Amino acid sequence: MIRFSFAAALVITLLWCVPPHASAADWLEPGVYPLADSQKSGEIHTFGNAKNLGDLAMQGLPDLAAMASSPSGAGYWVSTTAGRVFAFGDAVYRGDLRSIALDAPVVDLAVTPDGSGYWLVTGSGVVYAFGTALWRGSVAHLDLQAPIVDLEPLASGNGYWLTAADGGVFAFGDAQFLGGLADRSLYRPIIDLLSTSDGAGYLLVGADGAVYPRGTARFHGSLANNEVSSSVIVAAAQTANRDGYWLVSQRGKVFTFGTAPHFGQMVAHELAPIGAFAANESGG
C-alpha cells in the first residue's frame, strides 16, 4: 500500500478477498460519529475533509485488493486482486494487468512520490512498474515461506521493500534491510511496513495490532496484548511527519497513535469487511 503519510482518512470496503494497556477511550475523541454500515464491495467512506471522488460499488467487483492516495490528496487509485486499476479525482491511470495471466493475486498498489506512476505486487513477489515507477527487482525466483503482503517505496522512489506475512523483509534499489521477523513466531501475520522519511527505519505491523520498530523508526504504541476489541487489523498508515500512525480493523475501527488525529470510524460495522485505508495531504 505507497501509503502517503497524510492526515485525513479514506476507507474502502471489500466483500472479501497510544500507549500499551490503554482503554478504548484513549483512541476515541468525544463526539458523534456518522453511521456508515457498508453493504457492498467497493464502497468508499470518507472522514474529516476527505472527499468521496467515486467508488466501485456499482461494478460488482468482489476482489478488491488495495488503494492509495494521490500526492495532492485530491484523488486515489483502487486495484483488484486480478490486477485491474481504477483512478479517481486527479489520480491518473497508467496501466494495469488485466490482460496478463497472474500466478498469484495482486496484494498491493504503491504510488511513486511524484504521483506519476505506481507499482503492483503479487502475493508471489512479482513486481510490475507503471509510469515513472522504477522496477528494482522482485522475489518471484525465491521459494517463499509466506506470501508477500506489501510494497513500501523509499521516499525518493529509488527503491522499495517487499514484506511477507511471516515478517520477512526484502530490500531493493536504495532501500536498506534493517531487520525482519521471519526468525520468530508471530501471533498474527504481518500486514504492513511503514518506513521513515529517510529510509533509515521502518515499522512492521501485525494483524493483531502489534507494531515492531526497526532501525530509527519510532514506536508510538500498539494494540498487542491489549483488551481493546480490535478484530483483525487490515491496514496502517503514517502521518506526514512520521510521528504518528493509524491502525484500522476489518470492522472499521480506527486506532490512533502518536500525533495521528481521529476523524471518525465505522459504527456498528458488521457487513462488508474493510480492506484498505489511505490518508490525504491536507491534515484534515
Side-chain angles (χ1 to χ4, degrees):
M1 301 180 200
I2 203 173
R3 292 164 187 80
F4 284 91
S5 304
F6 308 132
L10 295 169
V11 181
I12 183 170
T13 60
L14 311 187
L15 188 57
W16 187 249
C17 330
V18 201
H21 312 302
S23 68
D26 291 301
W27 289 281
L28 299 181
E29 295 180 356
V32 178
Y33 299 128
L35 182 65
D37 200 356
S38 177
Q39 300 184 46
K40 296 180 181 179
S41 174
E43 288 184 341
I44 297 281
H45 299 274
T46 61
F47 300 90
N49 65 11
K51 295 181 179 180
N52 187 328
L53 302 169
D55 62 26
L56 301 176
M58 303 303 293
Q59 298 270 353
L61 298 172
D63 59 346
L64 305 181
M67 74 176 299
S69 173
S70 66
S72 69
Y76 45 82
W77 294 265
V78 179
S79 65
T80 73
T81 57
R84 296 181 66 182
V85 175
F86 301 86
F88 300 91
D90 67 358
V92 178
Y93 172 79
R94 302 290 181 180
D96 62 21
L97 305 174
R98 68 186 70 195
S99 62
I100 296 177
L102 302 175
D103 66 348
V106 168
V107 295
D108 199 14
L109 179 150
V111 180
T112 58
D114 64 5
S116 296
Y118 46 78
W119 296 267
L120 294 173
V121 60
T122 71
S124 60
V126 181
V127 176
Y128 301 89
F130 299 87
T132 59
L134 300 175
W135 191 87
R136 296 299 192 187
S138 74
V139 293
H141 60 291
L142 299 180
D143 183 16
L144 298 174
Q145 301 302 305
I148 295 299
V149 295
D150 180 62
L151 186 154
E152 174 80 2
L154 275 171
S156 67
N158 292 323
Y160 45 77
W161 295 271
L162 299 182
T163 308
D166 64 354
V169 177
F170 307 89
F172 298 90
D174 293 340
Q176 300 179 53
F177 175 75
L178 301 169
L181 298 168
D183 60 346
R184 61 184 291 179
S185 178
L186 300 175
Y187 178 65
R188 287 274 177 85
I190 295 300
I191 56 99
D192 212 342
L193 181 149
L194 306 173
S195 67
T196 60
S197 57
D198 61 1
Y202 46 73
L203 301 169
L204 293 167
V205 181
D208 59 344
V211 177
Y212 306 90
R214 294 291 183 268
T216 61
R218 295 183 61 189
F219 175 79
H220 295 288
S222 77
L223 297 175
N225 303 316
N226 199 290
E227 295 180 359
V228 174
S229 176
S230 61
S231 186
V232 176
I233 298 300
V234 294
Q238 290 187 96
T239 58
N241 61 10
R242 275 24 180 214
D243 285 336
Y245 43 82
W246 298 269
L247 303 183
V248 183
S249 83
Q250 189 179 66
R251 295 183 62 188
K253 290 185 178 181
V254 177
F255 303 92
T256 62
F257 300 88
T259 60
H262 196 290
F263 294 107
Q265 62 182 18
M266 305 294 278
V267 178
H269 177 66
E270 298 289 351
L271 300 177
I274 300 301
F277 174 93
N280 71 19
E281 186 181 23
S282 71

